[in-house]
Amino acid sequence: MIDRRKFLLSSLAASLGVTLPYNVKSSVAPGSLSAAPGSPVIISTWDHGIPANEAAYQSLLSGGSILDAVEAGVRISEADPDIGSVGYGGLPDADGNVTLDACIMDPSGDAGSVACIKEIMHPISVARKVMEKTPHVMLVGEGAQKFAEKEGFPRENLLTPRAKKAWEKEKALKNNLSPVGHDTIGLVGMDKSGDIAGACTTSGLGFKMPGRVGDSPIIGAGLYVDNEVGGAAATGWGELVMKTLGSFLVVELMRNGAGPEEACREALERIRRKVPLDSEHQVGYIALNKSGNTAGYCLREGFEYALHSNGKNHLIKAPSLL
Ligand code: ASP
């Protein structure tokens, strides 16, 4: 039987002309998966994680650091006009502006982030510059945009004709637009020497309130990496992830002995116990630990993640809590 939420989202996606990830064939995850010792492991959210993982892997093969790799991976999604939830082609806010959020963490525990930035196609690379070139962790809005321009990032129109049409269609239907979607890319990677980094980038919920920022650029919410323990990333309804500091929680649970699957599941249990849920709410977590074990888990059926490990890059259907 088709689940109602999946059906509603599929219909919405079809009417908006954007792709949602759950039609792609995948295998069911049996639990936390392990990689051969000493080989790179890359895990990322949704089906657009497949090309992102590949780019991250190629970056490692050509001598890049794990930080270079995670950045290179998610830049693929940011530049893809067919992904309605990240970078170029992302659905706009209720006023028709595409605003982007991103963050990055390196193995030393350093972090950079940008939020509500406009007209810059690669917010992940701006987040990296914030980390490397400023004494700060996060820049937002106009300040982030000015910094990006100073660093040589071109200003570009990110609203594709398809995303504009989707927004106009929604506007014609209702005055107060409701936010939709949940396909952020979060990517966590480990190189062959065991160093871990992560990146997360999104256009946030489509048709969101102007000025709204979700979990994705918040260190500890959308992404967290601790090189002694592992890394985690989130996708879905950002407010739920922010209220429980989800990615940090997953990493802390792993620090205290949980495997990646148990940690993701427990972080979702925390949401279920602490945050009032409505039928539209979805959250998916991915996690990778220091031994190269990986897992994904979600609140409701429909979340898939991409895993590049032992030389194979494949999609896995995450188990769900509800
Ligand atoms: N987590 C993102 C946000 O709330 C949405 C998503 O995953 O697409 O902005």
Side-chain angles (χ1 to χ4, degrees):
M1 198 174 81
I2 301 179
D3 131 333
R4 192 179 123 77
R5 173 176 170 74
K6 205 183 256 188
F7 172 75
L8 288 174
L9 282 172
S10 299
S11 317
L12 179 69
S15 73
L16 298 179
V18 296
T19 348
L20 289 177
Y22 37 68
N23 291 331
V24 180
K25 280 205 178 116
S26 61
S27 52
V28 178
S32 298
L33 303 173
S34 11
S39 68
V41 187
I42 301 149
I43 183 169
S44 60
T45 53
W46 305 110
D47 63 335
H48 45 254
I50 293 281
N53 285 358
E54 188 54 37
Y57 186 68
Q58 291 303 326
S59 167
L60 286 174
L61 285 188
S62 56
S65 67
I66 190 62
L67 185 66
D68 296 332
V70 299
E71 179 188 6
V74 302
R75 279 175 62 99
I76 298 293
S77 314
E78 287 182 336
D80 186 339
D82 292 332
I83 301 174
S85 50
V86 184
Y88 179 50
L91 289 174
D93 67 12
D95 285 350
N97 295 308
V98 179
T99 66
L100 306 178
D101 304 330
C103 75
I104 194 160
M105 283 192 84
D106 81 3
S108 76
D110 210 356
S113 159
V114 290
C116 214
I117 189 170
K118 290 183 197 164
E119 297 179 317
I120 304 289
M121 189 177 304
H122 290 295
I124 198 65
S125 300
V126 186
R128 181 170 175 176
K129 293 273 187 214
V130 172
M131 176 174 86
E132 292 176 338
K133 294 203 155 179
T134 81
H136 308 303
V137 169
M138 186 171 200
L139 293 179
V140 305
E142 216 179 300
Q145 193 177 12
K146 277 192 185 147
F147 170 74
E149 283 179 69
K150 210 176 107 232
E151 288 298 323
F153 291 85
R155 276 175 82 148
E156 293 172 82
N157 174 21
L158 303 179
L159 185 64
T160 57
R162 190 154 80 164
K164 184 163 185 260
K165 209 166 140 198
W167 172 72
E168 284 168 348
K169 200 167 165 189
E170 280 295 289
K171 283 287 274 186
L173 288 176
K174 34 187 154 144
N175 263 342
N176 288 326
L177 300 189
S178 335
V180 295
H182 52 65
D183 295 356
T184 291
I185 182 139
L187 183 149
V188 180
M190 183 165 76
D191 64 18
K192 61 180 183 342
S193 55
D195 280 332
I196 301 171
C200 184
T201 177
T202 190
S203 50
L205 298 176
F207 317 137
K208 62 195 173 188
M209 272 180 81
R212 181 263 185 192
V213 170
D215 59 315
S216 307
I218 309 295
I219 301 299
L223 175 76
Y224 198 69
V225 170
D226 182 323
N227 203 39
E228 288 174 4
V229 178
T235 179
W237 213 261
E239 283 71 11
L240 306 183
V241 177
M242 293 160 93
K243 286 175 191 172
T244 51
L245 209 55
S247 295
F248 181 72
L249 178 58
V250 171
V251 172
E252 288 309 291
L253 288 162
M254 294 196 293
R255 187 193 306 281
N256 290 319
E261 182 172 284
E262 198 188 341
C264 291
R265 189 188 157 90
E266 178 52 33
L268 291 159
E269 278 288 2
R270 187 72 59 92
I271 290 176
R272 180 160 69 166
R273 284 203 306 273
K274 300 274 180 190
V275 187
L277 290 180
D278 77 34
S279 61
E280 290 304 296
H281 285 151
Q282 169 67 306
V283 171
Y285 287 120
I286 53 168
L288 158 69
N289 72 10
K290 198 68 182 167
S291 317
N293 299 320
T294 51
Y297 222 99
C298 54
L299 207 50
R300 296 171 202 284
E301 200 191 334
F303 170 56
E304 290 169 321
Y305 62 99
L307 177 64
H308 198 306
S309 136
N310 302 325
K312 258 179 52 193
N313 190 15
H314 59 301
L315 255 192
I316 297 171
K317 182 177 176 200
S320 59
L321 194 66
L322 302 177

